[in-house]
Amino acid sequence: MSTGDEELAKDLGPLAALTIGVGTMIGAGIFVLPGNAIEQAGWFAVVSFLLGGGIALLTALSASELGTAMPRSGGAYFYVNRALGPLFGSIAGWANWLGLAFASAFYMVGFGEYIRVIFGLTGPLMVGPIALPAVKTIAFLGGALFVAVNYIGAKETGRLQNIIVILLVAILAVFTVVGALRADPANLPPSKGFGPMMTTTGLIFVSYLGFVQITSVAEEIQEPGKNLPRAVIGSVLLVSVIYALVLIVMAAAVEQGFIAEQQVAGNIAVVEVGRLILGPAGAIALLIGGLLATASSANASILASSRINFAMGRDRILTPTINEVHPRFGTPYRAIAITGALILGFIVAGNVELLATLGSVLHLVIYGLLNIALIVMREANVADYDPSFTVPLYPFTPILGALTSFALIAFINPTVVLICGGLVAAAIVWYLGYARTRTEAMGELSEFILSRSESMPDAAVSTAESVRPDGGRHRVMVPLANPQHEENLITLASAVAKHHGGIVDAVHIVTVPDQTSLEYAADHIGDHEEDYDALLDGAREHAEALGVDIETHTILSHRGFEEIFDAARSHEADTVVMGWGPDAHGSPGRAESAFGEMTTELPADFLVVKDRGFDPERVLVPTRGGAGSAYAADVASVLQEEYGSEITLLHVADSESTGEEFLTEWAEERGLSDATIRVESGDTKEEIVRAAEDASLVIIGASEQGLLVRLFRGSPAQQIVEEVDSSVILAEKSHGRSLLDRLLSR
């Protein structure tokens, strides 16, 4: 299994990097959409393509600076996540991933259309006894092929792109040169105004999705500081020129009305223009060109999109298991497989216009965020931000890039914008519901705001606090009930939290009679708990004095002890530190109640404290080698780190020599080789009680006896707690056990 530190081989040279961008952009956008563009905007379609290229160029400049400063797999997603934080990173990641998947499906449907025309398919394809739409079937099979090509590796993908793009540019060069000789300004269709031109720009912007994807494979580019800006900016300029020349030829080399006739007839307009100006050979060349163009777009998009979810997995916005790299091919094969499945699903479910415009809107969102990310990285004075290429005319360039990207969305089909808005909202929900508790990096924007909280607006600070990730912060929940034990519980919790770089979550559970509604109790809480907030105020003051971050909560419930487990789940606690009640919570020797043990799993690690004064100077840890005592040893290590505790490890064995050998090895495995080793023979409980006379604190791993055994025989841990004079901590790891194990295990 790979880890979040997986690296990808640098297999892509400068030409391969350039052709990823050019190959992604010169696709269905230039071989399918020009006819629609001319019909919608007249000769202003040329302006639409140039305007789209201008917007793309602004973002390409920002992407080049960010890419040279941070050449990491993930491209735009990574930059937004690093600068704006994982909330916006989730939006950018999902938008980039799904946007490329939509675009890939769009390109493959275009691929299927060209295959249909080349082979003269007029009806459905028969696959055995089933009749399937020819275009969709071909698109599906072609998509599966390109997913397989990307599965093999980036080097093979780069070589394929080189061949496809060079042939494609050669075909378009012949088309534009010969077409320019026939061009007549009198043939230009009349302009249809500014509004249709902007709408057309939104439609054809799918043609400019490729350049940022070069940064998605930045980790695989040789000499990224030099080759990445050349590839990003060069691909936009090259493609913009090609688009403008092709549009001029299509608009001026044929008589007015010709494009409209081809659109009505369902023909591919660029192919029919080629037939008119170059003859049958020209039509064949452009059919081959269209086939290569759609194939190269899909191929490059699959390559880039699979790297997006690879990067999201690395940052734990998706599960890190998606990061596994193939041992032979060196590619993130799981990410590629998932992306491929999405693309094939979109091919089956979507139509050309929907897929194209969905890809456009999602990428405009990303481009806007990317330009803002550049501004944040500059203004926050990030220490390791040292790009080898810098944006000219800063901050004008990224500001204009962000504004134009977001503004263009307003001219796209409202239904598509609504769908994309739903996807953005889903990405936010995904972050808040899943990724926030798993991802670690906070983002430079939040760091900047929170580090200047006294001078920042309260709304900004509050927002930054509310969305900050806590997946990297160990959460230690402390249920509080008795002010006499509050300080010691918070002290222990703070030590655990400090060791893990975490946070203390103090929870006061107020038990309300079943006859009283929780709503009424919330309005009359003083009737149920006098000075209910004093307990949490004291906990906050004590934790802050120990230098640990703390959150406090009051929970009203009809249940008492059982509510602790629900709170641990809802607060996503990693560790729970709680007091040992007089009745041991109905389950001697365990942190769970007798009823809860029958119905629930232990939701976190538990430290249950029998408090007789917290003194971690001399800590005794009895062990028989089980999981419970291993966790007890871990807790002792935390106390040693925080308070310099002297640790004694006790093992009761039949043979002193065998027991000493076992205990020495056990201590070394847990980093406690400096602990005092004590081996005794005799009754385990009596030896623990005797050894505890020299200890100020005893930490015991929780009994693994089952429920019935404990109920009928009692618990050794409970007996030890009653007989020793020092405080005792019962340590139990989070676990899940079957009902049979819970009842009968020994």
Side-chain angles (χ1 to χ4, degrees):
M1 181 69 66
S2 74
T3 68
D5 293 323
E6 292 285 2
E7 296 183 1
L8 303 177
K10 292 185 179 297
D11 283 338
L12 300 179
L15 181 59
L18 177 68
T19 54
I20 287 172
V22 174
T24 305
M25 287 187 279
I26 299 183
I30 195 61
F31 280 87
V32 174
L33 296 180
N36 302 70
I38 291 171
E39 275 297 285
Q40 290 185 17
W43 76 266
F44 266 23
V46 178
V47 181
S48 293
F49 273 91
L50 289 174
L51 179 60
I55 295 173
L57 182 60
L58 292 170
T59 303
L61 292 167
S62 294
S64 296
E65 175 174 327
L66 292 166
T68 59
M70 299 175 286
R72 297 289 298 277
S73 182
Y77 152 74
F78 175 78
Y79 309 138
V80 172
N81 188 65
R82 169 75 186 276
L84 305 182
L87 172 61
F88 289 99
S90 180
I91 295 172
W94 282 101
N96 208 353
W97 183 13
L98 293 178
L100 280 171
F102 284 129
S104 298
F106 165 61
Y107 299 144
M108 288 314 305
V109 172
F111 176 85
E113 184 65 27
Y114 277 98
I115 291 288
R116 179 191 67 79
V117 173
I118 288 172
F119 290 96
L121 302 175
T122 57
L125 280 178
M126 298 302 297
V127 181
I130 304 174
L132 298 175
V135 171
K136 287 291 186 79
T137 302
I138 296 166
F140 187 92
L141 295 175
L145 172 64
F146 283 109
V147 170
V149 168
N150 279 270
Y151 192 97
I152 293 173
K155 184 181 294 183
E156 288 74 12
T157 301
R159 290 172 178 171
L160 182 61
Q161 286 296 108
N162 292 346
I163 297 170
I164 289 175
V165 174
I166 290 171
L167 290 175
L168 184 58
V169 171
I171 291 171
L172 290 177
V174 174
F175 174 81
T176 54
V177 169
V178 176
L181 297 176
R182 289 179 50 104
D184 185 349
N187 291 333
L188 292 174
S191 145
K192 297 188 178 179
F194 176 80
M197 182 193 75
M198 294 301 298
T199 301
T200 302
T201 305
L203 171 67
I204 61 87
F205 198 78
V206 70
S207 307
Y208 288 98
L209 302 191
F211 65 94
V212 174
Q213 309 323 321
I214 300 172
T215 66
S216 297
V217 293
E219 277 187 275
E220 300 164 72
I221 296 176
Q222 301 166 4
E223 298 184 74
K226 177 177 66 175
N227 291 328
L228 191 145
R230 293 177 180 177
V232 173
I233 299 170
S235 65
V236 173
L237 293 174
L238 178 60
V239 166
S240 297
V241 171
I242 292 173
Y243 285 172
L245 293 175
V246 170
L247 262 290
I248 290 172
V249 168
M250 288 190 65
V254 296
E255 295 181 357
Q256 290 188 25
F258 180 82
I259 298 296
E261 292 175 3
Q262 304 309 314
Q263 293 291 106
V264 171
N267 296 326
I268 302 174
V270 69
V271 173
E272 297 308 316
V273 172
R275 188 190 307 277
L276 184 64
I277 64 177
L278 294 172
I284 293 173
L286 286 170
L287 280 171
I288 295 174
L291 192 65
L292 292 174
T294 51
S296 70
S297 293
N299 185 52
S301 295
I302 293 168
L303 168 65
S305 59
S306 65
R307 270 49 176 189
I308 303 301
N309 51 22
F310 175 87
M312 293 171 72
R314 179 166 56 192
D315 293 332
R316 297 183 180 273
I317 288 180
L318 295 176
T319 172
T321 59
I322 205 171
N323 285 7
E324 185 163 340
V325 172
H326 197 285
R328 177 181 175 188
F329 302 128
T331 57
Y333 69 100
R334 287 183 174 175
I336 292 172
I338 294 170
T339 300
L342 284 173
I343 291 168
L344 297 179
F346 294 155
I347 288 172
V348 172
N351 59 60
V352 168
E353 184 174 349
L354 178 62
L355 294 171
T357 49
L358 282 169
S360 291
V361 173
L362 290 175
H363 277 80
L364 285 167
V365 171
I366 298 162
Y367 293 172
L369 292 176
L370 186 146
N371 282 285
I372 295 172
L374 172 64
I375 297 171
V376 169
M377 295 302 289
R378 285 278 197 103
E379 297 304 315
N381 293 319
V382 179
D384 60 347
Y385 186 74
D386 185 23
S388 55
F389 171 88
T390 55
V391 168
L393 302 177
Y394 176 88
F396 174 78
T397 301
I399 291 174
L400 185 60
L403 292 176
T404 53
S405 296
F406 291 135
L408 188 56
I409 295 174
F411 296 93
I412 296 178
N413 187 312
T415 302
V416 174
V417 174
L418 185 62
I419 293 172
C420 291
L423 293 175
V424 169
I428 295 172
V429 171
W430 176 268
Y431 170 73
L432 296 175
Y434 174 86
R436 186 185 178 203
T437 59
R438 292 164 173 82
T439 190
E440 301 178 6
M442 185 161 56
E444 298 297 339
L445 179 60
S446 294
E447 291 276 8
F448 183 81
I449 292 172
L450 295 177
S451 66
R452 296 163 176 79
S453 57
E454 295 183 359
S455 60
M456 286 287 177
D458 291 341
V461 175
S462 176
T463 301
E465 285 282 5
S466 65
V467 301
R468 68 185 297 174
D470 59 7
R473 309 191 79 197
H474 192 96
R475 182 169 289 268
V476 185
M477 193 184 90
V478 186
L480 296 174
N482 190 338
Q484 295 180 354
H485 302 294
E486 169 198 301
E487 181 174 338
N488 290 335
L489 292 178
I490 292 295
T491 298
L492 176 59
S494 297
V496 175
K498 191 177 294 185
H499 173 76
H500 291 285
I503 186 171
V504 172
D505 182 8
V507 176
H508 186 195
I509 299 174
V510 178
T511 305
V512 177
D514 290 342
Q515 297 84 350
T516 303
S517 72
L518 296 180
E519 292 81 1
Y520 178 85
D523 294 332
H524 301 82
I525 191 170
D527 298 340
H528 302 280
E529 190 88 8
E530 293 183 6
D531 297 326
Y532 71 95
D533 55 351
L535 194 64
L536 294 180
D537 289 342
R540 185 183 301 107
E541 292 174 3
H542 189 62
E544 290 175 351
L546 294 171
V548 176
D549 291 337
I550 184 171
E551 295 177 0
T552 58
H553 304 274
T554 298
I555 300 176
L556 288 92
S557 174
H558 291 304
R559 301 174 300 166
F561 176 75
E562 297 91 336
E563 184 61 35
I564 293 173
F565 296 93
D566 285 345
R569 292 185 184 91
S570 63
H571 289 218
E572 298 177 316
D574 298 291
T575 303
V576 175
V577 176
M578 59 184 295
W580 183 295
D583 62 352
H585 314 301
S587 182
R590 301 286 288 195
E592 299 160 281
S593 69
F595 178 77
E597 178 133 284
M598 297 283 289
T599 59
T600 63
E601 297 180 349
L602 203 60
D605 299 339
F606 270 68
L607 299 177
V608 185
V609 183
K610 184 63 175 180
D611 185 15
R612 298 186 177 97
F614 184 73
D615 181 3
E617 182 180 356
R618 302 179 308 281
V619 178
L620 173 68
V621 180
T623 178
R624 296 179 64 183
S629 58
Y631 182 42
D634 293 340
V635 176
S637 295
V638 171
L639 297 179
Q640 185 182 54
E641 175 183 316
E642 183 66 18
Y643 300 104
S645 304
E646 298 176 7
I647 299 175
T648 298
L649 303 178
L650 171 67
H651 179 58
V652 180
D654 295 332
S655 168
E656 183 174 341
S657 60
T658 304
E660 187 167 333
E661 179 180 349
F662 156 79
L663 193 54
T664 300
E665 182 179 346
W666 191 85
E668 289 177 352
E669 289 175 354
R670 280 148 191 83
L672 293 174
S673 56
D674 59 343
T676 300
I677 301 298
R678 181 169 177 172
V679 179
E680 304 287 353
S681 61
D683 181 83
T684 301
K685 185 197 73 173
E686 292 178 1
E687 294 301 328
I688 293 174
V689 173
R690 185 178 297 113
E693 294 175 359
D694 300 324
S696 60
L697 177 65
V698 180
I699 307 177
I700 303 175
S703 167
E704 289 302 319
Q705 290 180 321
L707 173 64
L708 295 183
V709 174
R710 291 198 310 279
L711 289 180
F712 286 104
R713 297 187 179 180
S715 165
Q718 184 185 28
Q719 297 169 18
I720 292 169
V721 168
E722 293 172 351
E723 294 189 29
V724 303
D725 295 327
S726 62
S727 292
V728 179
I729 298 175
L730 176 67
E732 184 164 17
K733 291 289 288 182
S734 171
H735 64 83
R737 300 195 322 174
S738 69
L739 178 60
L740 185 63
D741 285 341
R742 290 172 182 276
L743 291 173
L744 301 177
S745 67
R746 291 179 178 271

